[in-house]
Amino acid sequence: SGTMEGGGKPLRGRMGGAQSEGLSEAELAKLRKQIDALGSKLDAVKAERAAAQSEARELQKEAKRAQTVHNKQAMQLEAAAAQRAALEKRLDSARAASQPSEAE
């Protein structure tokens, strides 16, 4: 306890930090302008992405509603087909009963 890890030799004899080449005011202004332009572009892309996601959610809801309608209509069609078959059977029976038999 009380010791620090990753120590290393202390630097001696350096009065200032590392000297770096400075950028001119024109270069800084140009870089700031590029940063602003890129920031604006990023904001526009984020807004476009949010709109696309919202539209995708709406389309998914619409697809779900359409699927529900399709399923209901398919069930109604099946029921109508079954009812038609039953009615045709009854009609055939009624026709057969109404025709005079040869024995009569």
Side-chain angles (χ1 to χ4, degrees), residues 38-77:
L38 289 173
S40 296
K41 195 173 189 178
L42 177 63
D43 291 341
V45 169
K46 284 181 179 179
E48 188 177 327
R49 178 181 177 202
Q53 287 175 335
S54 176
E55 185 177 355
R57 281 190 297 273
E58 289 302 316
L59 289 172
Q60 286 174 339
K61 287 179 187 177
E62 183 64 30
K64 190 174 182 179
R65 283 191 293 268
Q67 184 65 44
T68 301
V69 168
H70 174 272
N71 291 342
K72 284 182 181 180
Q73 289 176 344
M75 288 189 304
Q76 289 173 345
L77 186 60

Side-chain angles (χ1 to χ4, degrees), residues 3-9:
T3 62
M4 294 178 59
E5 294 182 16
K9 266 188 160 174

